[in-house]
């Protein structure tokens, strides 16, 4: 049951982060568009998502939205939406920081060669920005993975829920929760090591350049 729950945790995390990456990049582009209405829309979304706790957001989406709009959502759908919206706001700021870290001369050089703004951003700026933000994106992956444990409150079939079901049947809370904690620790430890290795390689690559 714990292995099955772990599979659910990883699946929801990966799907949520794929959606959040697209959402975060879109909001980031709105932020740097220079158009006030688009910047306001993006900033309101970011401020709201960063200001509302994940559990409150999940309850609103799983219980509030169906009650108010009549849209039925499964726990998995509500969980994915919750994590995507939450992580998307943070990834938007991560992408914006990465783009701002790219030397301004790169855009000027691309425009001087005749590239339109959109193509220059896609071909020149974004590839460099992504390289800069990869370690931060891995850290966000870790945070989102841990946030899935909160969503057992809405019945999301993940590791925490599996642990709760086992405890309810066996009453062996010490062994079960210790095992769950070790599983989370191992996964997050591996991801942290991957993040540090990527950061070190990127740093060494810059030094060689």
């Amino acid at each position: 049951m714990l292995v099955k729950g772990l599979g659910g945790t990883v699946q929801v995390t990966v799907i949520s982060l794929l959606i959040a990456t697209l959402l975060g990049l879109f909001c980031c582009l709105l932020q740097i568009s220079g158009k006030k209405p688009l910047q306001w829309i993006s900033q309101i979304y970011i401020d709201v998502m960063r200001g509302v706790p994940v559990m409150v957001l999940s309850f609103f989406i799983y219980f509030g939205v169906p009650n108010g709009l009549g849209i039925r959502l499964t726990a998995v759908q509500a969980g994915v939406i919750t994590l995507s919206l939450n992580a998307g706001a943070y990834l938007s700021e991560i992408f914006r920081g990465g783009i701002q870290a790219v030397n301004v001369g790169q855009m000027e050089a691309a425009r001087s060669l005749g590239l339109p703004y959109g193509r220059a951003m896609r071909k020149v700026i974004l590839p460099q920005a992504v390289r800069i933000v990869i370690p931060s994106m891995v850290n966000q992956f870790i945070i989102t993975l841990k946030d899935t444990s909160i969503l057992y409150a809405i019945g999301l079939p993940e590791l925490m829920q599996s642990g709760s079901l086992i405890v309810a049947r066996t009453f062996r809370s010490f062994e079960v929760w210790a095992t769950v904690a070790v599983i989370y620790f191992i996964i997050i430890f591996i991801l942290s090591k991957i993040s540090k290795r990527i950061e070190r390689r990127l740093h060494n690559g810059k030094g060689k350049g």
Side-chain angles (χ1 to χ4, degrees):
M1 287 185 67
L2 290 179
V3 172
K4 185 177 180 181
L6 176 61
T9 294
V10 173
Q11 183 181 24
V12 169
T13 302
V14 171
I15 294 173
S16 300
L17 281 171
L18 289 175
I19 298 173
T21 299
L22 297 176
L23 180 59
L25 184 58
F26 176 72
C27 287
C28 170
L29 295 176
L30 294 184
Q31 281 280 80
I32 64 175
S33 66
K35 299 179 180 179
K36 290 294 183 182
L38 298 181
Q39 291 177 331
W40 290 337
I41 292 172
S42 177
Q43 194 59 52
I44 289 171
Y45 159 71
I46 292 171
D47 289 342
V48 170
M49 289 302 110
R50 294 174 68 176
V52 177
V54 175
M55 181 172 286
V56 175
L57 181 62
S58 68
F59 273 54
F60 172 74
I61 292 173
Y62 187 61
F63 297 110
V65 170
N67 185 54
L69 303 179
I71 301 173
R72 306 304 302 174
L73 295 172
T74 66
V76 172
Q77 291 171 335
V80 168
I81 293 172
T82 299
L83 295 177
S84 299
L85 291 175
N86 179 263
Y90 290 95
L91 285 171
S92 176
E93 293 296 277
I94 290 172
F95 285 132
R96 186 167 67 91
I99 290 173
Q100 291 176 343
V102 177
N103 194 303
V104 179
Q106 296 286 323
M107 176 60 80
E108 294 174 352
R111 296 303 300 273
S112 67
L113 292 173
L115 291 177
Y117 178 84
R119 190 172 181 186
M121 179 65 70
R122 188 173 66 254
K123 297 288 186 179
V124 179
I125 304 302
L126 285 180
Q128 297 181 66
V130 169
R131 181 180 177 184
I132 293 170
V133 304
I134 283 177
S136 298
M137 290 181 67
V138 176
N139 288 334
Q140 184 59 48
F141 188 103
I142 293 172
I143 293 170
T144 303
L145 177 68
K146 291 195 290 187
D147 283 344
T148 59
S149 63
I150 298 175
L151 301 182
Y152 90 99
I154 63 172
L156 186 72
E158 46 76 60
L159 189 56
M160 281 289 292
Q161 190 197 49
S162 297
S164 298
L165 292 174
I166 295 173
V167 170
R169 294 175 183 177
T170 65
F171 301 101
R172 300 176 65 178
S173 58
F174 178 83
E175 295 93 330
V176 173
W177 293 125
T179 304
V180 170
V182 169
I183 292 173
Y184 272 116
F185 172 78
I186 291 173
I187 296 173
I188 293 169
F189 180 79
I190 292 172
L191 290 175
S192 299
K193 288 297 182 182
I194 292 173
S195 176
K196 289 180 180 178
R197 177 169 291 186
I198 292 173
E199 192 170 358
R200 189 163 53 248
R201 285 188 176 182
L202 292 177
H203 179 74
N204 291 340
K206 272 187 187 176
K208 291 177 182 179

